[in-house]
Amino acid sequence: MPPWSLVSPASRGIGFALARRVLQTTNAPIVATARKDLDKTKDELLQGLNVDEKRLTILRADVLDESTMADAAAACKDKFPPTLHQLQLSFIIPGLLFPEKSPTQINADNALVTFRTNTIGPMLMLKHFSPLLPKKNSSTSKDGEKMEGLPPVSTTAIMSARVGSISDNRLGGWYSYRASKAGVNQLVKTFDNHLRTASGDNAMAIALHPGTVKTGLSKEFWGSVKKEKLFEREWVAERLVGVVNKVGVRGRGKCWDWDGKEVPP
């Protein structure tokens, strides 16, 4: 079955770079989402790329508004019926950070929107998009040309962070962000367990740690990061796509960093 890809959101930051990377390195259709300015997002994603613009579809999706996620999934189901097409690669990567350095800086409203964005948003994306993934008895794509640049197993990749690792937590701080990303790791493991039953080896889920990337999310901390550890988003996108393509079913349900190394839970 012909494959397609999903990047949500893709209007800026790592998601923007990932969508452009997938456009450049595959010839499969791609759905990218944004909360607003859909036409502007499409123009910016295609700028400077020698690709068929018909491959790119922009849909509205807001992880704080479940109805938009449901509508986007319904549109994808109409465009790519699961009996005829295969969702081969999904990047689900919303992110929000309030850097609480001490418990006294915790704000309930900020913590709640952090969890809604980083953890519950991806959870609801899985709710609505998981029916589009191949089932255990699905005839998976065998078209080598169309699969070029895509993982051999349908892969859902959700953005986590090294600070979501409980065993790696040596510094503390960032209470709501750490907890929300630890929740992402649990979400990925739980969803992958579901896929083991529903899809067998035809679909899997992983979490990703991109490192510290030059995006609006991390801008406040650029000065405290060693130059060699502060990454450009295009470079990170290239590495993450490479990791997703190489992990394979043996690495399912785990968190992997930009260098292909496992981040412990």
Side-chain angles (χ1 to χ4, degrees):
M1 293 189 291
W4 62 284
S5 298
L6 170 71
V7 180
S8 180
S11 57
R12 57 190 176 89
I14 298 174
F16 181 87
L18 282 169
R20 283 174 61 86
R21 183 69 185 173
V22 173
L23 280 168
Q24 289 174 289
T25 58
T26 78
N27 52 20
I30 175 174
V31 173
T33 75
R35 288 185 297 131
K36 58 184 180 179
D37 299 329
L38 305 191
D39 291 339
K40 178 182 177 184
T41 298
K42 184 169 186 176
D43 289 343
E44 291 177 346
L45 284 171
L46 291 170
Q47 188 173 5
L49 300 185
N50 184 24
V51 300
D52 183 356
E53 66 177 46
K54 294 179 181 178
R55 288 176 48 208
L56 176 61
T57 300
I58 307 292
L59 297 176
R60 180 172 181 257
D62 182 346
V63 292
L64 300 180
D65 183 350
E66 184 177 358
S67 67
T68 66
M69 293 180 266
D71 290 345
C76 289
K77 185 177 181 181
D78 288 341
K79 189 174 183 66
F80 304 107
T83 55
L84 300 175
H85 297 267
Q86 183 167 317
L87 178 50
Q88 194 67 21
L89 174 61
S90 302
F91 285 108
I92 301 174
I93 48 178
L96 183 66
L97 168 62
F98 293 98
E100 314 103 337
K101 296 180 180 179
S102 75
T104 59
Q105 293 179 319
I106 297 172
N107 175 281
D109 291 336
N110 290 348
L112 181 59
V113 74
T114 297
F115 272 89
R116 289 188 63 199
T117 302
N118 295 351
T119 316
I120 300 174
M123 192 184 302
L124 293 174
M125 287 289 290
L126 297 181
K127 171 184 175 180
H128 293 288
F129 280 87
S130 60
L132 304 182
L133 296 173
K135 303 297 188 288
K136 186 176 290 187
N137 59 354
S138 296
S139 298
T140 56
S141 178
K142 302 297 182 183
D143 189 330
E145 181 181 357
K146 289 188 177 180
M147 290 289 289
E148 183 180 353
L150 295 171
V153 176
S154 173
T155 302
T156 300
I158 302 179
M159 196 64 76
S160 184
R162 189 177 301 278
V163 296
S165 168
I166 295 172
S167 60
D168 191 62
N169 185 355
R170 298 177 179 84
L171 297 176
W174 295 18
Y175 290 83
S176 57
Y177 187 74
R178 282 185 184 274
S180 71
K181 292 301 186 178
V184 165
N185 294 341
Q186 183 69 279
L187 171 63
V188 166
K189 179 63 176 178
T190 302
F191 182 59
D192 187 71
N193 284 340
H194 162 76
L195 291 178
R196 287 174 184 266
T197 301
S199 304
D201 287 345
N202 288 335
M204 54 180 268
I206 60 173
L208 294 173
H209 165 59
T212 304
V213 187
K214 281 188 176 182
T215 66
L217 181 79
S218 64
K219 190 171 184 177
E220 183 179 342
F221 318 108
W222 292 357
S224 61
V225 178
K226 293 180 180 179
K227 186 177 180 180
E228 66 272 16
K229 292 293 185 180
L230 184 60
F231 306 138
E232 297 291 342
R233 62 183 184 177
E234 292 79 11
W235 185 86
V236 167
E238 178 181 353
R239 298 302 296 261
L240 292 181
V241 169
V243 169
V244 168
N245 287 344
K246 293 177 182 177
V247 166
V249 291
R250 290 186 179 182
R252 65 188 305 165
K254 300 177 180 180
C255 182
W256 299 92
D257 74 6
W258 53 270
D259 202 25
K261 297 175 182 176
E262 183 184 352
V263 178

